[in-house]
Amino acid sequence: MTARPPRVVAALLLAVLVVAGCGGADPGPRAWHDGRIFLATGNTTGVYYQLGGGYADLISRHLPGYEARAEPTGASVENITRLAGGDMEIAFSLADTAADAVNGRGGFEGRPQPVRALARVYSNYTHVIVRADGKISSFADLRGKRISTGSPKSGTDIIAGRLLTAGGINPDRDIQRLNLSLPETVQRMRAGSLDAMFFSGGLPTPGVKDLLSSAPGVFRLLPLSELIEPLAARYGSVYTTAILPKEIYGSPAATPTITVANVILVAADMPDQLAYDLTRVLFTWQGELIRVHPEAANFTRDSAAASDPIPLHPGAARFYRSG
């Protein structure tokens, strides 16, 4: 993770520059946060990191006065915390985690976070991968197993806990729960020190594809659609079902699973014009982003504006109205 200059230091440097420049020509309006935009993404072998890098490149090339860079993180919860704290300017998040954040629920209990949406983008597919040796044939068979539920406090970790609970399995008592990043999870699955793993990601997720393609027939995806009713009863319509096509990972058959939308977030106090311009860049050069990862093709201006229950930033809302 790249260290960032504290805001107070940046402010002092600015004061020195202003004093030194007194009497000179008016330099014009200063870029927000000194023109530096950091994007909070996720694991380096996940879709957030790939799309975040592509989006950062678009911002740097097409938004004068700004330079952007994607940062690897533990994903949703960490991203929102760092965004609200001023350490990041843009954050990728799962919609369920973002909804908890703005409403002060779940991991943000009693602490509503001042974040807003630029866009609702593609949906994440929940991958539950098990060893194909017959020891885990149903979701109930996960009880007592060694399972990675993703990076600590990530969106994957939250969904994993909710799915296990919906399936009648206590995530903290009924399994051997390990909070591991995707690269470490893949490594341990290969080594045989894990029985199963959860990961919520776009299609294809590079780390998952690498695991499944490197050992054909050793692992398989577990169907999850049976869990939608208890999940929806507790958390509402934020979760839906979808079919994970067999062609994505070369699986023997398609896999019914649980999905949740992703959102791109910014701080509530971001200037309206900057939020407008960031949204404009996202859609004007969406074709370039599609070449970075195909999930960038899976949202439109209309679908992106449907960010409820996460409020749109007023600048983003103005962009959608202008179309």
Side-chain angles (χ1 to χ4, degrees):
M1 182 178 69
T2 303
R4 301 196 56 182
R7 297 291 184 209
V8 65
V9 174
L12 289 172
L13 289 173
L14 174 64
V16 171
L17 291 172
V18 168
V19 171
C22 285
D26 182 359
R30 182 170 62 93
W32 193 61
H33 288 189
D34 299 319
R36 291 170 295 182
I37 293 180
F38 284 73
L39 290 80
T41 60
N43 288 280
T44 55
T45 56
V47 179
Y48 280 1
Y49 187 70
Q50 288 196 337
L51 284 181
Y55 190 24
D57 180 59
L58 293 180
I59 294 167
S60 297
R61 289 193 287 118
H62 300 297
L63 194 56
Y66 286 93
E67 181 177 352
R69 183 165 65 193
E71 292 289 305
T73 68
S76 297
V77 175
E78 178 186 337
N79 291 356
I80 291 172
T81 300
R82 296 179 70 182
L83 176 65
D87 190 41
M88 295 282 159
E89 284 70 39
I90 298 174
F92 284 74
S93 173
L94 288 170
D96 58 344
T97 307
D100 284 350
V102 298
N103 290 300
R105 298 189 310 241
F108 303 95
E109 187 67 38
R111 299 177 293 110
Q113 302 296 298
V115 299
R116 298 293 182 265
L118 286 187
R120 171 179 173 163
V121 286
Y122 66 97
S123 289
N124 265 18
Y125 285 66
T126 306
H127 304 70
V128 178
I129 302 171
V130 301
R131 308 191 74 80
D133 55 11
K135 295 180 181 178
I136 302 174
S137 58
S138 69
F139 194 83
D141 293 333
L142 292 174
R143 188 182 302 271
K145 301 300 190 294
R146 303 164 298 175
I147 303 172
S148 171
T149 59
S151 298
K153 297 184 178 180
S154 64
T156 292
D157 191 34
I158 290 172
I159 289 178
R162 291 177 176 181
L163 284 170
L164 288 162
T165 301
I169 300 172
N170 186 303
D172 297 314
R173 292 199 305 265
D174 295 340
I175 64 169
Q176 297 178 50
R177 186 176 191 173
L178 293 92
N179 287 123
L180 306 172
S181 69
L182 181 55
E184 188 174 3
T185 295
V186 167
Q187 181 180 6
R188 293 202 185 190
M189 287 290 287
R190 284 187 179 130
S193 57
L194 285 175
D195 301 304
M197 61 171 281
F198 283 76
F199 193 78
S200 178
L203 300 181
T205 291
V208 171
K209 186 174 183 178
D210 183 46
L211 173 66
L212 298 180
S213 64
S214 65
V218 175
F219 307 101
R220 70 182 186 90
L221 290 154
L222 204 61
L224 300 176
S225 57
E226 67 191 65
L227 300 174
I228 190 61
E229 288 189 16
L231 201 62
R234 183 163 184 177
Y235 300 106
S237 60
V238 69
Y239 298 108
T240 57
T241 58
I243 299 297
L244 200 163
K246 65 179 183 179
E247 295 81 10
I248 298 295
Y249 299 114
S251 305
T255 307
T257 192
I258 305 292
T259 61
V260 60
N262 290 289
V263 287
I264 299 176
L265 303 173
V266 295
D269 66 352
M270 175 178 277
D272 286 4
Q273 186 59 47
L274 178 56
Y276 176 95
D277 288 336
L278 289 170
T279 312
R280 175 181 55 81
V281 166
L282 180 66
F283 284 94
T284 302
W285 287 279
Q286 186 176 6
E288 293 188 33
L289 206 55
I290 292 169
R291 290 195 287 273
V292 173
H293 194 283
E295 284 288 14
N298 292 327
F299 57 92
T300 65
R301 285 176 67 129
D302 287 341
S303 68
S307 64
D308 188 69
I310 302 100
L312 277 175
H313 191 287
R318 178 163 64 89
F319 171 80
Y320 295 121
R321 290 195 303 269
S322 71

